[in-house]
Amino acid sequence: MRIGMGYDVHRLTEDRELILGGVEIPFEKGLLGHSDADVLLHAIMDALLGASALGDIGKHFPDTDPAYKGISSILLLEHVGQLLEAEGIKIGNIDATIIAQRPKLAPYIMNMRENIAKALNIDIQQINVKATTEEGLGFTGGGLGIASSAICLVEKEKGDHE
């Protein structure tokens, strides 16, 4: 068994949709980034890639590649799931936290979990997503950005050669 940890942060900006966990959330600002800037999925992907010793999302989806401009992070997460499957790696569980002063995210968490489970072809019970504020402190507390962290457990399947 192996554990991976991921972290991502993006600045909030005008004229962008706010996408978290593949869910469009009504809000006056969105996250600035090359893709859809979904910090939750980016943290989850980095946790999975790290636990699997497969690098990080910058290696697989560089922000210098126009192919990823505006791309849905759900599509990127599906690709990460395929990479893990090709390596014979099974996901045990994922636990993630979104750090945002606003908006309130509780009404959207079940949809986020469903999107993640579908993208990775795992059971929704293997995924936990929670949200917290920073009580007005720091860049997230001041409404300048949103961050997310994730941790996961993976296990490589035993092959005939092991």
Side-chain angles (χ1 to χ4, degrees):
M1 286 196 251
R2 300 177 76 168
I3 297 169
M5 188 269 180
Y7 177 82
D8 195 35
V9 60
H10 284 273
R11 177 184 305 275
L12 283 164
T13 188
E14 304 285 338
D15 300 319
R16 289 273 298 202
E17 295 175 342
L18 178 58
I19 310 289
L20 293 169
V23 177
E24 185 177 335
I25 298 169
F27 193 56
E28 66 265 14
K29 293 181 179 179
L31 293 169
L32 183 63
H34 187 67
S35 66
D36 62 6
D38 188 328
V39 293
L40 173 61
L41 297 186
H42 293 183
I44 289 171
M45 286 186 278
D46 267 347
L48 292 168
L49 290 166
S52 306
L54 294 173
D56 61 21
I57 60 173
K59 172 185 172 182
H60 292 276
F61 317 110
D63 63 7
T64 54
D65 188 335
Y68 303 116
K69 177 83 173 144
I71 194 168
S72 167
S73 293
I74 285 287
L75 296 176
L76 303 180
L77 182 62
E78 288 174 355
H79 182 76
V80 168
Q82 292 164 2
L83 288 172
L84 268 61
E85 186 177 335
E87 293 289 323
I89 296 170
K90 295 289 184 193
I91 299 167
N93 75 304
I94 297 167
D95 186 23
T97 303
I98 305 166
I99 305 135
Q101 195 64 34
R102 295 182 35 234
K104 293 294 182 193
L105 298 173
Y108 308 101
I109 286 178
M110 183 56 74
N111 286 355
M112 293 177 195
R113 290 176 65 212
E114 290 168 351
N115 289 344
I116 296 163
K118 183 178 177 188
L120 293 172
N121 197 28
I122 60 176
D123 191 275
I124 195 167
Q125 295 304 316
Q126 293 172 267
I127 303 157
N128 189 57
V129 174
K130 34 196 194 302
T132 190
T133 70
E134 288 195 305
E135 303 296 327
L137 300 172
F139 71 90
T140 59
L144 299 175
I146 295 178
S148 185
S149 64
I151 191 165
C152 69
L153 179 71
V154 301
E155 188 167 15
K156 187 158 177 89
E157 291 180 314
K158 302 288 185 211
D160 292 335
H161 59 280
E162 295 183 40

